[in-house]
Amino acid sequence: MDKQNLFSDAQAVTATALSTNIMDLGKAGLNMGVGEELYLVCIVDTTLDDSGDDSTITVTLETDSVEAMDSAAVLLTLGTFAANAAAGSRFVQRIPVSSVYERYLGVRYTAANGNLSAGAFTTFLTKNIDAYTSYADNRTYTT
């Protein structure tokens, strides 16, 4: 995985927070993959938990003209994880082709219905997603 495309690396998130890393799209030599589809991937690293099992974390991709991301516009809502989302749970979505990207790009984790007592995420951009799913074929083998 390209470190420059990594927003969070097992980042502990128990309340509303920005990703550890903010991408500077104005940085010289940075090419986000012109003409190529890019995907935002968010994976739960540590099972989410709260005392009432009613909290959620919504993950959004946002852009802003300043690195603090204090007036950011939402480009994409990736999804909402429930309070008991297990480690390994993930959301994957193609990021939109748009002319509204400002200089900085980041991910915001927004808590609702209270804060979590545990949870961590890895979130990144990639051109290649692992979309293979293995299904049982209902065959019985005997020896």
Side-chain angles (χ1 to χ4, degrees):
M1 175 184 329
D2 185 343
K3 186 170 178 73
Q4 293 206 9
N5 292 334
L6 185 64
F7 291 106
S8 299
D9 186 7
Q11 177 181 342
V13 176
T14 56
T16 297
L18 278 173
S19 53
T20 304
N21 302 313
I22 303 297
M23 187 181 295
D24 182 353
L25 301 178
K27 190 175 181 179
L30 182 66
N31 180 340
M32 268 191 41
V34 175
E36 300 180 62
E37 291 185 341
L38 291 175
Y39 296 86
L40 182 65
V41 179
C42 181
I43 302 169
V44 175
D45 290 308
T46 302
T47 298
L48 307 185
D49 192 24
D50 81 334
S51 60
D53 283 337
D54 60 349
S55 298
T56 60
I57 295 285
T58 299
V59 182
T60 54
L61 178 66
E62 301 184 5
T63 189
D64 203 342
S65 59
V66 294
E67 191 172 10
M69 304 286 292
D70 52 9
S71 62
V74 174
L75 295 169
L76 171 74
T77 299
L78 187 59
T80 300
F81 289 102
N84 55 0
S89 300
R90 69 182 185 151
F91 288 121
V92 178
Q93 198 169 125
R94 186 171 55 86
I95 65 169
V97 176
S98 175
S99 60
V100 299
Y101 288 96
E102 296 183 52
R103 178 165 180 175
Y104 296 95
L105 195 62
V107 170
R108 187 177 309 273
Y109 306 96
T110 304
N113 300 323
N115 293 335
L116 297 169
S117 56
F121 298 90
T122 294
T123 306
F124 56 93
L125 290 176
T126 185
K127 292 190 305 184
N128 304 308
I129 57 171
D130 180 16
Y132 174 78
T133 303
S134 179
Y135 297 99
D137 59 12
N138 294 323
R139 293 185 187 187
T140 304
Y141 296 96
T142 58
T143 57

PDB file of all heavy atoms in Angstrom, residues 63-87:
ATOM      1  N   THR A  63     -13.162  17.375   1.500  1.00  0.00           N
ATOM      2  CA  THR A  63     -12.158  18.232   0.882  1.00  0.00           C
ATOM      3  C   THR A  63     -12.288  19.638   1.450  1.00  0.00           C
ATOM      4  O   THR A  63     -13.385  20.059   1.833  1.00  0.00           O
ATOM      5  CB  THR A  63     -12.294  18.235  -0.659  1.00  0.00           C
ATOM      6  OG1 THR A  63     -11.189  18.901  -1.236  1.00  0.00           O
ATOM      7  CG2 THR A  63     -13.587  18.875  -1.117  1.00  0.00           C
ATOM      8  N   ASP A  64     -11.152  20.352   1.522  1.00  0.00           N
ATOM      9  CA  ASP A  64     -11.152  21.709   2.056  1.00  0.00           C
ATOM     10  C   ASP A  64      -9.961  22.472   1.497  1.00  0.00           C
ATOM     11  O   ASP A  64      -8.996  21.867   1.016  1.00  0.00           O
ATOM     12  CB  ASP A  64     -11.070  21.670   3.587  1.00  0.00           C
ATOM     13  CG  ASP A  64     -11.603  22.934   4.250  1.00  0.00           C
ATOM     14  OD1 ASP A  64     -11.722  23.971   3.574  1.00  0.00           O
ATOM     15  OD2 ASP A  64     -11.901  22.883   5.453  1.00  0.00           O
ATOM     16  N   SER A  65     -10.036  23.790   1.583  1.00  0.00           N
ATOM     17  CA  SER A  65      -8.941  24.633   1.110  1.00  0.00           C
ATOM     18  C   SER A  65      -7.841  24.782   2.155  1.00  0.00           C
ATOM     19  O   SER A  65      -6.747  25.243   1.842  1.00  0.00           O
ATOM     20  CB  SER A  65      -9.473  26.029   0.727  1.00  0.00           C
ATOM     21  OG  SER A  65     -10.087  26.636   1.856  1.00  0.00           O
ATOM     22  N   VAL A  66      -8.120  24.370   3.405  1.00  0.00           N
ATOM     23  CA  VAL A  66      -7.126  24.461   4.478  1.00  0.00           C
ATOM     24  C   VAL A  66      -6.916  23.083   5.101  1.00  0.00           C
ATOM     25  O   VAL A  66      -7.845  22.273   5.188  1.00  0.00           O
ATOM     26  CB  VAL A  66      -7.535  25.483   5.561  1.00  0.00           C
ATOM     27  CG1 VAL A  66      -7.552  26.888   4.996  1.00  0.00           C
ATOM     28  CG2 VAL A  66      -8.872  25.140   6.169  1.00  0.00           C
ATOM     29  N   GLU A  67      -5.700  22.832   5.555  1.00  0.00           N
ATOM     30  CA  GLU A  67      -5.340  21.520   6.086  1.00  0.00           C
ATOM     31  C   GLU A  67      -6.109  21.151   7.356  1.00  0.00           C
ATOM     32  O   GLU A  67      -6.330  19.975   7.642  1.00  0.00           O
ATOM     33  CB  GLU A  67      -3.833  21.469   6.356  1.00  0.00           C
ATOM     34  CG  GLU A  67      -3.317  20.094   6.665  1.00  0.00           C
ATOM     35  CD  GLU A  67      -1.807  20.027   6.745  1.00  0.00           C
ATOM     36  OE1 GLU A  67      -1.146  21.082   6.743  1.00  0.00           O
ATOM     37  OE2 GLU A  67      -1.290  18.904   6.813  1.00  0.00           O
ATOM     38  N   ALA A  68      -6.561  22.142   8.107  1.00  0.00           N
ATOM     39  CA  ALA A  68      -7.310  21.873   9.338  1.00  0.00           C
ATOM     40  C   ALA A  68      -8.671  21.241   9.053  1.00  0.00           C
ATOM     41  O   ALA A  68      -9.290  20.668   9.951  1.00  0.00           O
ATOM     42  CB  ALA A  68      -7.493  23.155  10.131  1.00  0.00           C
ATOM     43  N   MET A  69      -9.133  21.335   7.818  1.00  0.00           N
ATOM     44  CA  MET A  69     -10.398  20.727   7.383  1.00  0.00           C
ATOM     45  C   MET A  69     -11.577  21.209   8.239  1.00  0.00           C
ATOM     46  O   MET A  69     -12.509  20.470   8.508  1.00  0.00           O
ATOM     47  CB  MET A  69     -10.313  19.195   7.433  1.00  0.00           C
ATOM     48  CG  MET A  69      -9.178  18.559   6.647  1.00  0.00           C
ATOM     49  SD  MET A  69      -9.425  18.557   4.875  1.00  0.00           S
ATOM     50  CE  MET A  69     -10.769  17.414   4.698  1.00  0.00           C
ATOM     51  N   ASP A  70     -11.551  22.499   8.638  1.00  0.00           N
ATOM     52  CA  ASP A  70     -12.596  23.004   9.524  1.00  0.00           C
ATOM     53  C   ASP A  70     -13.836  23.523   8.805  1.00  0.00           C
ATOM     54  O   ASP A  70     -14.842  23.835   9.437  1.00  0.00           O
ATOM     55  CB  ASP A  70     -12.050  24.058  10.485  1.00  0.00           C
ATOM     56  CG  ASP A  70     -11.286  25.169   9.792  1.00  0.00           C
ATOM     57  OD1 ASP A  70     -11.312  25.244   8.552  1.00  0.00           O
ATOM     58  OD2 ASP A  70     -10.649  25.965  10.500  1.00  0.00           O
ATOM     59  N   SER A  71     -13.787  23.617   7.478  1.00  0.00           N
ATOM     60  CA  SER A  71     -14.980  23.991   6.705  1.00  0.00           C
ATOM     61  C   SER A  71     -15.104  23.063   5.497  1.00  0.00           C
ATOM     62  O   SER A  71     -15.438  23.485   4.399  1.00  0.00           O
ATOM     63  CB  SER A  71     -14.906  25.452   6.269  1.00  0.00           C
ATOM     64  OG  SER A  71     -13.785  25.647   5.423  1.00  0.00           O
ATOM     65  N   ALA A  72     -14.834  21.806   5.740  1.00  0.00           N
ATOM     66  CA  ALA A  72     -14.751  20.806   4.667  1.00  0.00           C
ATOM     67  C   ALA A  72     -16.111  20.499   4.042  1.00  0.00           C
ATOM     68  O   ALA A  72     -17.144  20.541   4.697  1.00  0.00           O
ATOM     69  CB  ALA A  72     -14.142  19.518   5.210  1.00  0.00           C
ATOM     70  N   ALA A  73     -16.069  20.185   2.756  1.00  0.00           N
ATOM     71  CA  ALA A  73     -17.249  19.730   2.017  1.00  0.00           C
ATOM     72  C   ALA A  73     -17.167  18.208   1.884  1.00  0.00           C
ATOM     73  O   ALA A  73     -16.103  17.657   1.596  1.00  0.00           O
ATOM     74  CB  ALA A  73     -17.287  20.366   0.634  1.00  0.00           C
ATOM     75  N   VAL A  74     -18.279  17.541   2.078  1.00  0.00           N
ATOM     76  CA  VAL A  74     -18.337  16.080   1.964  1.00  0.00           C
ATOM     77  C   VAL A  74     -18.409  15.697   0.490  1.00  0.00           C
ATOM     78  O   VAL A  74     -19.284  16.153  -0.235  1.00  0.00           O
ATOM     79  CB  VAL A  74     -19.543  15.507   2.728  1.00  0.00           C
ATOM     80  CG1 VAL A  74     -19.674  14.009   2.490  1.00  0.00           C
ATOM     81  CG2 VAL A  74     -19.425  15.810   4.211  1.00  0.00           C
ATOM     82  N   LEU A  75     -17.476  14.878   0.051  1.00  0.00           N
ATOM     83  CA  LEU A  75     -17.460  14.365  -1.318  1.00  0.00           C
ATOM     84  C   LEU A  75     -18.176  13.023  -1.416  1.00  0.00           C
ATOM     85  O   LEU A  75     -18.762  12.694  -2.441  1.00  0.00           O
ATOM     86  CB  LEU A  75     -16.020  14.181  -1.799  1.00  0.00           C
ATOM     87  CG  LEU A  75     -15.181  15.434  -1.935  1.00  0.00           C
ATOM     88  CD1 LEU A  75     -13.723  15.066  -2.153  1.00  0.00           C
ATOM     89  CD2 LEU A  75     -15.695  16.294  -3.073  1.00  0.00           C
ATOM     90  N   LEU A  76     -18.087  12.234  -0.339  1.00  0.00           N
ATOM     91  CA  LEU A  76     -18.592  10.867  -0.369  1.00  0.00           C
ATOM     92  C   LEU A  76     -18.871  10.402   1.056  1.00  0.00           C
ATOM     93  O   LEU A  76     -18.042  10.592   1.939  1.00  0.00           O
ATOM     94  CB  LEU A  76     -17.532   9.964  -1.006  1.00  0.00           C
ATOM     95  CG  LEU A  76     -17.733   8.467  -0.962  1.00  0.00           C
ATOM     96  CD1 LEU A  76     -18.810   8.058  -1.947  1.00  0.00           C
ATOM     97  CD2 LEU A  76     -16.433   7.752  -1.298  1.00  0.00           C
ATOM     98  N   THR A  77     -20.038   9.824   1.271  1.00  0.00           N
ATOM     99  CA  THR A  77     -20.320   9.143   2.537  1.00  0.00           C
ATOM    100  C   THR A  77     -20.093   7.665   2.283  1.00  0.00           C
ATOM    101  O   THR A  77     -20.836   7.035   1.524  1.00  0.00           O
ATOM    102  CB  THR A  77     -21.757   9.415   3.020  1.00  0.00           C
ATOM    103  OG1 THR A  77     -21.902  10.821   3.230  1.00  0.00           O
ATOM    104  CG2 THR A  77     -22.044   8.674   4.315  1.00  0.00           C
ATOM    105  N   LEU A  78     -19.034   7.144   2.880  1.00  0.00           N
ATOM    106  CA  LEU A  78     -18.639   5.758   2.635  1.00  0.00           C
ATOM    107  C   LEU A  78     -19.613   4.780   3.282  1.00  0.00           C
ATOM    108  O   LEU A  78     -19.969   3.763   2.699  1.00  0.00           O
ATOM    109  CB  LEU A  78     -17.217   5.526   3.131  1.00  0.00           C
ATOM    110  CG  LEU A  78     -16.581   4.192   2.807  1.00  0.00           C
ATOM    111  CD1 LEU A  78     -16.526   3.951   1.305  1.00  0.00           C
ATOM    112  CD2 LEU A  78     -15.187   4.117   3.390  1.00  0.00           C
ATOM    113  N   GLY A  79     -20.033   5.069   4.504  1.00  0.00           N
ATOM    114  CA  GLY A  79     -20.962   4.183   5.193  1.00  0.00           C
ATOM    115  C   GLY A  79     -20.958   4.449   6.681  1.00  0.00           C
ATOM    116  O   GLY A  79     -20.191   5.274   7.173  1.00  0.00           O
ATOM    117  N   THR A  80     -21.826   3.723   7.382  1.00  0.00           N
ATOM    118  CA  THR A  80     -21.940   3.864   8.830  1.00  0.00           C
ATOM    119  C   THR A  80     -21.738   2.505   9.472  1.00  0.00           C
ATOM    120  O   THR A  80     -22.445   1.546   9.164  1.00  0.00           O
ATOM    121  CB  THR A  80     -23.322   4.432   9.211  1.00  0.00           C
ATOM    122  OG1 THR A  80     -23.476   5.714   8.596  1.00  0.00           O
ATOM    123  CG2 THR A  80     -23.457   4.580  10.716  1.00  0.00           C
ATOM    124  N   PHE A  81     -20.763   2.447  10.376  1.00  0.00           N
ATOM    125  CA  PHE A  81     -20.481   1.224  11.128  1.00  0.00           C
ATOM    126  C   PHE A  81     -21.290   1.231  12.419  1.00  0.00           C
ATOM    127  O   PHE A  81     -21.327   2.240  13.120  1.00  0.00           O
ATOM    128  CB  PHE A  81     -18.993   1.117  11.478  1.00  0.00           C
ATOM    129  CG  PHE A  81     -18.097   0.832  10.312  1.00  0.00           C
ATOM    130  CD1 PHE A  81     -17.359   1.845   9.723  1.00  0.00           C
ATOM    131  CD2 PHE A  81     -17.965  -0.450   9.811  1.00  0.00           C
ATOM    132  CE1 PHE A  81     -16.513   1.591   8.643  1.00  0.00           C
ATOM    133  CE2 PHE A  81     -17.121  -0.721   8.738  1.00  0.00           C
ATOM    134  CZ  PHE A  81     -16.399   0.305   8.158  1.00  0.00           C
ATOM    135  N   ALA A  82     -21.919   0.111  12.746  1.00  0.00           N
ATOM    136  CA  ALA A  82     -22.656  -0.035  14.004  1.00  0.00           C
ATOM    137  C   ALA A  82     -21.673  -0.222  15.156  1.00  0.00           C
ATOM    138  O   ALA A  82     -20.518  -0.589  14.949  1.00  0.00           O
ATOM    139  CB  ALA A  82     -23.595  -1.230  13.911  1.00  0.00           C
ATOM    140  N   ALA A  83     -22.161  -0.006  16.369  1.00  0.00           N
ATOM    141  CA  ALA A  83     -21.317  -0.064  17.568  1.00  0.00           C
ATOM    142  C   ALA A  83     -20.623  -1.409  17.758  1.00  0.00           C
ATOM    143  O   ALA A  83     -19.579  -1.481  18.378  1.00  0.00           O
ATOM    144  CB  ALA A  83     -22.139   0.264  18.806  1.00  0.00           C
ATOM    145  N   ASN A  84     -21.182  -2.457  17.246  1.00  0.00           N
ATOM    146  CA  ASN A  84     -20.584  -3.785  17.439  1.00  0.00           C
ATOM    147  C   ASN A  84     -19.929  -4.319  16.165  1.00  0.00           C
ATOM    148  O   ASN A  84     -19.743  -5.524  16.028  1.00  0.00           O
ATOM    149  CB  ASN A  84     -21.635  -4.764  17.960  1.00  0.00           C
ATOM    150  CG  ASN A  84     -22.847  -4.817  17.044  1.00  0.00           C
ATOM    151  OD1 ASN A  84     -22.908  -4.125  16.029  1.00  0.00           O
ATOM    152  ND2 ASN A  84     -23.821  -5.641  17.399  1.00  0.00           N
ATOM    153  N   ALA A  85     -19.563  -3.431  15.239  1.00  0.00           N
ATOM    154  CA  ALA A  85     -18.914  -3.882  13.993  1.00  0.00           C
ATOM    155  C   ALA A  85     -17.625  -4.634  14.324  1.00  0.00           C
ATOM    156  O   ALA A  85     -16.780  -4.148  15.076  1.00  0.00           O
ATOM    157  CB  ALA A  85     -18.622  -2.694  13.087  1.00  0.00           C
ATOM    158  N   ALA A  86     -17.508  -5.809  13.775  1.00  0.00           N
ATOM    159  CA  ALA A  86     -16.369  -6.679  14.076  1.00  0.00           C
ATOM    160  C   ALA A  86     -15.114  -6.254  13.310  1.00  0.00           C
ATOM    161  O   ALA A  86     -15.205  -5.671  12.227  1.00  0.00           O
ATOM    162  CB  ALA A  86     -16.721  -8.117  13.708  1.00  0.00           C
ATOM    163  N   ALA A  87     -13.977  -6.578  13.879  1.00  0.00           N
ATOM    164  CA  ALA A  87     -12.714  -6.370  13.177  1.00  0.00           C
ATOM    165  C   ALA A  87     -12.797  -7.094  11.842  1.00  0.00           C
ATOM    166  O   ALA A  87     -13.306  -8.211  11.763  1.00  0.00           O
ATOM    167  CB  ALA A  87     -11.550  -6.892  14.014  1.00  0.00           C
TER     168      ALA A  87
END
